[in-house]
Amino acid sequence: MATTPIKFEKRDIAPDAGSRAPTDRREHDIVGLGVIIAAVLLFVANGSSVLRDFLHSLATGARPQEPMLGTALVLNIALLLFGWRRYVDLTREVGQRRIAEEVAHKLAHTDALTGCLNRRSIGPALQDMIRAARVTGHEVVAMMMDLDNFKKSNDAHGHQAGDAVLLQTAERIRALLPEKSIMARLGGDEFAFATIYDPDHVEAIDRLMLRLNTSIARPVEIDGLALEVTASIGLANTSPADTSDAAALAELLIHRADLAMYQAKKAGRNRYYWFEQNMESELRFRSELERGIREGIPRGEFVPYYEKQVDLDSGELTGFEMLARWKSPKHGLLSPELFIPIAEEIGLISELSESLIRQALRDAREWDPRLTLSVNISPLQLRDPWFAQKLLKLLVEANFPPHRLDIEITETCLHENVGVVRTLITSLKNQGIRISLDDFGTGYSSLAQLRTLPFDRIKIDRFFVSTLGKSKDSGTIIEAISSLGKGMDLPITAEGIESPEVLDELRKYGSFKGQGYLYGQPADADEVRALLASSNLLPSVVVPSPSEPLELPRAATA
């Protein structure tokens, strides 16, 4: 999906030297044709008497009266034949080159697959439409469209199937657009189209969008396969107040429609959105965040915070889960929900995650050796074939025992590529690292997957825990997960314990580890160190014997 507006070139396309050559050669050949015409006129004027004398000499064997004129006549006839043949050849060549120029022009301005306009030609076409609409008092609406999940379908079924989807999509759009609309494929699975409409009947555009979404969502049948894609569409329209140049306005419409399309994707895909002015502010804010992430990672602005993990039966502190925070100089302390998705989109999640893990390992190295460190990894990191080696390198650098590290993998990751996940888990476990299945209950994992993937722990999603006592379904799900954990000998951690009432309800279903705001807000490294020092859980202060439980202070467990 494009986030940069299309820049329309304002210069005309000049023909190259090759395109001028046929015209020049034809002009030169006109001179040759003039010579031929002169030779014909000369032949008509004098050829009759010379030809009669020439034929008489051939018939009687007598010597021609004017032998030089006879020879000239033969040469003149040969010149006429040769000149005419040359003119015909040159004319044919000029025609072929003209056809080639037309084909090249078409290829330069249209998409070869769908026959639509292309990125280069949509601008001038939209400008012409804006000028025509101004004459009649109508308005123009520009639409940007991106196919949802097209890349995944293309990778799964091949480029031939992907091309068929694009072709079918273009045909469906073309069939629904009003007469004299324009349509372009900008590249990949991104399309742009525009039409003129009556501003008193803008609801007609809404009806058109609903029909487009419905039509595109119909399965595309290819070799027995039913491929399903949907579309996110953004719209932007002109208004009577728009008095700017048509070229500038066309560029602005495409830019705004692109912003609206991004909102359609953000809102859940398979829908359309009209442009609103606040989208510009959101884009500026997002651009600030992107720039801040790029600059903040090397500056050390991203820091680990730690949430306590507690044994619910004994109240012992067993470890911490690392949570990412951004100490932005401009925006203050930001939570991961805001910057992690952006870091994933711009390809910096691995660099960001490794920076946080490196800091967390150094912090946790000072803790009591019985305390563990849990770290979430992004689904994108699972696709990195070198992730296990990178993690081992970080452990060696920090001199941190692998058995104290717990890597958490979200359940939804299992559906992307189970084979890759299995290889990664096996590699990490061979290094002594523990693996937990995070957010369990939200991703529909099968029992077969749990048996084949060697997890050390299950973590119940915080939604089910936080709604205990309010939702009967949550209690049923937690009871089922508890029974599953007992049957497969997998210990369970419950996230989202935020009140004593939730804790009391949770204890009804078995023995768990737990974490949540009931045990305190996530804290930075200095606060955690102070807490552990006050609890004699820093080896540099007092090293407890193995028999001593790691009890939390009363204030922390209240």
Side-chain angles (χ1 to χ4, degrees):
M1 178 179 60
T3 54
T4 341
I6 298 174
K7 298 295 183 183
F8 301 136
E9 297 184 2
K10 298 181 180 179
R11 54 183 173 79
D12 295 328
I13 302 171
D16 56 21
S19 64
R20 291 193 296 266
T23 304
D24 294 341
R25 296 185 67 178
R26 185 174 57 183
E27 291 172 352
H28 293 160
D29 199 52
I30 290 176
V31 177
L33 180 61
V35 173
I36 295 173
I37 292 174
V40 170
L41 293 176
L42 183 62
F43 175 77
V44 171
N46 302 310
S48 57
S49 59
V50 175
L51 181 61
R52 187 168 50 252
D53 180 57
F54 179 73
L55 293 177
H56 179 267
S57 64
L58 286 178
T60 61
R63 180 180 178 83
Q65 296 179 5
E66 298 291 344
M68 293 297 295
L69 290 178
T71 303
L73 175 65
V74 174
L75 292 176
N76 195 9
I77 293 173
L79 178 62
L80 286 172
L81 294 176
F82 174 78
W84 179 253
R85 175 64 183 272
R86 181 59 181 162
Y87 182 79
V88 170
D89 289 344
L90 287 176
T91 303
R92 184 185 300 114
E93 182 180 349
V94 169
Q96 291 172 345
R97 293 204 177 194
R98 183 183 297 112
I99 294 173
E101 287 177 7
E102 292 173 356
V103 171
H105 184 272
K106 183 178 180 181
L107 291 175
H109 293 82
T110 61
D111 175 59
L113 176 64
T114 62
C116 306
L117 299 176
N118 60 15
R119 181 179 290 270
R120 182 180 185 179
S121 54
I122 181 63
L126 184 55
Q127 294 167 29
D128 292 341
M129 178 175 283
I130 291 172
R131 296 187 187 100
R134 284 174 171 173
V135 172
T136 60
H138 288 74
E139 295 180 10
V140 172
V141 57
M143 294 154 273
M144 290 284 287
M145 187 194 81
D146 189 84
L147 295 181
D148 307 323
N149 302 317
F150 175 76
K151 184 179 184 303
K152 185 180 294 184
S153 175
N154 197 39
D155 292 343
H157 303 289
H159 293 289
Q160 186 174 359
D163 288 349
V165 170
L166 293 173
L167 189 57
Q168 281 281 340
T169 299
E171 291 175 354
R172 292 175 183 181
I173 297 172
R174 192 179 287 114
L176 291 174
L177 287 178
E179 188 179 357
K180 296 183 180 179
S181 300
I182 58 175
M183 176 180 172
R185 179 185 172 211
L186 305 183
D189 59 336
E190 192 174 30
F191 291 82
F193 32 97
T195 190
I196 297 176
Y197 72 100
D198 186 342
D200 294 330
H201 298 283
V202 67
E203 70 279 358
I205 301 300
D206 290 296
R207 291 195 298 268
L208 172 63
M209 293 301 100
L210 290 173
R211 291 198 301 270
L212 275 172
N213 274 125
T214 302
S215 177
I216 293 170
R218 294 201 319 268
V220 177
E221 302 287 341
I222 303 171
D223 297 331
L225 294 174
L227 305 183
E228 296 184 4
V229 294
T230 55
S232 297
I233 307 174
L235 299 90
N237 62 318
T238 58
S239 71
D242 293 322
T243 58
S244 54
D245 176 72
L249 185 54
E251 187 172 320
L252 181 63
L253 283 181
I254 291 294
H255 169 64
R256 289 178 169 179
D258 194 48
L259 292 179
M261 180 183 70
Y262 174 77
Q263 290 296 325
K265 281 191 171 294
K266 186 178 177 182
R269 306 172 187 266
N270 191 24
R271 63 195 66 207
Y272 70 94
Y273 259 64
W274 285 89
F275 169 78
E276 297 175 0
Q277 285 295 335
N278 65 324
M279 295 179 183
E280 291 278 9
S281 301
E282 290 184 18
L283 178 65
R284 284 194 294 270
F285 180 61
R286 178 187 168 86
S287 298
E288 285 182 9
L289 292 181
E290 287 186 11
R291 184 170 61 254
I293 292 172
R294 296 182 191 278
E295 297 174 353
I297 294 176
R299 292 176 182 172
E301 295 175 7
F302 295 88
V303 296
Y305 269 50
Y306 302 98
E307 185 175 67
K308 299 169 188 172
Q309 294 179 325
V310 178
D311 185 293
L312 299 188
D313 292 334
S314 65
E316 292 181 16
L317 177 65
T318 61
F320 294 88
E321 178 180 352
M322 185 199 79
L323 305 174
R325 295 291 186 270
W326 181 9
K327 291 185 176 180
S328 170
K330 184 173 183 179
H331 303 290
L333 189 65
L334 301 179
S335 63
E337 292 80 8
L338 186 61
F339 60 83
I340 290 296
I342 298 176
E344 289 179 335
E345 289 182 22
I346 64 178
L348 291 177
I349 188 62
S350 294
E351 184 178 348
L352 173 59
S353 178
E354 290 169 22
S355 171
L356 290 168
I357 294 174
R358 180 179 290 108
Q359 296 178 61
L361 292 176
R362 291 172 181 169
D363 294 338
R365 183 177 56 190
E366 300 180 358
W367 304 344
D368 188 281
R370 287 172 292 178
L371 297 178
T372 61
L373 172 67
S374 297
V375 174
N376 286 283
I377 63 171
S378 165
L380 296 180
Q381 290 176 277
L382 291 177
R383 303 172 190 169
D384 183 357
W386 301 105
F387 175 73
Q389 286 77 4
K390 292 177 181 178
L391 188 59
L392 180 60
K393 181 181 178 181
L394 293 175
L395 287 169
V396 172
E397 288 178 357
N399 193 26
F400 191 83
H403 68 272
R404 290 182 56 198
L405 179 63
D406 188 344
I407 294 296
E408 298 183 4
I409 298 174
T410 57
E411 188 182 7
T412 52
C413 295
L414 303 184
H415 304 290
E416 295 188 4
N417 194 329
V418 177
V420 172
V421 175
R422 182 182 294 109
T423 301
L424 176 62
I425 291 176
T426 302
S427 178
L428 294 176
K429 286 184 68 66
N430 287 340
Q431 306 297 334
I433 299 170
R434 298 178 183 180
I435 309 295
S436 293
L437 180 59
D438 196 15
D439 297 339
F440 188 71
T442 61
Y444 310 103
S445 292
S446 67
L447 292 177
Q449 286 178 328
L450 289 180
R451 278 197 289 267
T452 57
L453 297 172
F455 289 107
D456 297 294
R457 177 173 292 275
I458 295 174
K459 298 191 72 176
I460 306 175
D461 184 71
R462 67 176 60 249
F463 171 80
F464 302 118
V465 177
S466 62
T467 55
L468 269 177
K470 303 175 184 177
S471 170
K472 183 180 178 181
D473 291 340
S474 294
T476 302
I477 291 172
I478 290 179
E479 183 177 14
I481 294 175
S482 177
S483 299
L484 178 64
K486 292 176 182 177
M488 301 187 68
D489 195 25
L490 284 173
I492 299 174
T493 296
E495 299 180 291
I497 304 174
E498 299 181 358
S499 68
E501 292 77 18
V502 169
L503 177 60
D504 291 339
E505 284 290 326
L506 189 61
R507 282 173 171 159
K508 297 177 182 178
Y509 299 103
S511 298
F512 306 99
K513 282 186 179 180
Q515 61 187 82
Y517 293 165
L518 177 63
Y519 301 101
Q521 296 286 333
D524 62 19
D526 291 337
E527 293 173 314
V528 169
R529 196 174 191 283
L531 169 68
L532 296 180
S534 66
S535 305
N536 293 330
L537 295 177
L538 287 179
S540 59
V541 180
V542 176
V543 180
S545 65
S547 60
E548 294 177 352
L550 306 181
E551 295 284 345
L552 280 173
R554 289 186 179 274
T557 56

